[in-house]
Amino acid sequence: MAVTFVKAQLINYPSLHVYQRFQPKIGALGSSLSCEVSKNRRHFIVMSATAVGSPHTPVHASDKSGISIMVNGCTGKMGKAVLDAAISAGLNPVPLALGSPEDSGKIVDLGDKYVEVHGSDDREFILSSAIKEYPDLIVVDYTVPAAVNDNAALYCKLGLPFVMGTTGGDRDLLYKTVDESRNYALISPQMGKQVVAFLATMETMSQQFPGAFSGYNLQVIESHQASKLDISGTAKAVISCFHKLGVSFDLNQVQLIRDSKEQIEKVGVPEEHLSGHAFHTYRLISPDGTVSFEFQHNVCGRSIYAEGTVDAILFLAKKVKLKADKRIYDMIDVLREGNMR
């Protein structure tokens, strides 16, 4: 049975879209639409009404253009940024996605189409149904660290190629799961192409000059939006390179800055980017304090990651189509291929 969502705009808040679910009532004279609107929801006008299929209603093949993608975690800011970038690149977001139990039933507005978010209860059924309807489907995961391993295990069980942009989880188990399943996956703690190039440079330096900074003290300051709970995967990767360069440093020594006042005053984050930024500083100081080196990369907004994710999708889709022998990739593979947009 189809469910209709009516898109409304609050007069006092024209940029805020509200969705009211209408359930068709079947009677002797046919079907009619009815709903209850809270008395507290005043001052809104209906702008448009669009019928969206239920979770089990197939989407017609005419809706398929470009590579089909499912962005799990699309209610988050990163997921939404990826959807926008993907649509601009001609990719086709399917009308279903997975999210947290709290997000179940939410509708993400993409302008001319919608994505309905489902919780964990029926996620295997949702994915299986999507695979049947979109055989070339690529999943993009921007959920939460606690869901990384369970999600990856399900993708691998169903043979569903995926791009893992979510950091955290048990990374060794993640790679083991993908390797044993022979599923296609692109896994990267960092999707920003230029930042990945910096990481590759650090890795090369650590391999060619091991122990070059032996005895140096390392300070790491990492500032992200308050909603990011864990240490950045990028910071972990850079610190791993410093370990090879002879530096002793524990992850619990990373200074995680999530307080907005401190971010503005101490780190220099522009106020308009407090809700989305990544400022990292790595400072090396010689044992006697006379020599110091500083590596820094500051990112405002999410476009760099969203565009990199689109490149990752295009790269992985190509490898799947070619039935490449290698199954696990990262963003360095994407950079080396050199066919980014």
Side-chain angles (χ1 to χ4, degrees), residues 1-5 20-26 32-35:
M1 179 181 295
V3 176
T4 296
F5 292 91
Q20 177 64 44
R21 181 184 292 246
F22 289 79
Q23 183 69 44
K25 288 186 176 180
I26 307 300
S32 62
L33 297 176
S34 67
C35 73

Side-chain angles (χ1 to χ4, degrees), residues 20 36-42 44:
Q20 177 64 44
E36 293 183 1
V37 181
S38 170
K39 293 180 180 179
N40 293 327
R41 291 188 181 179
R42 297 175 294 174
F44 76 85

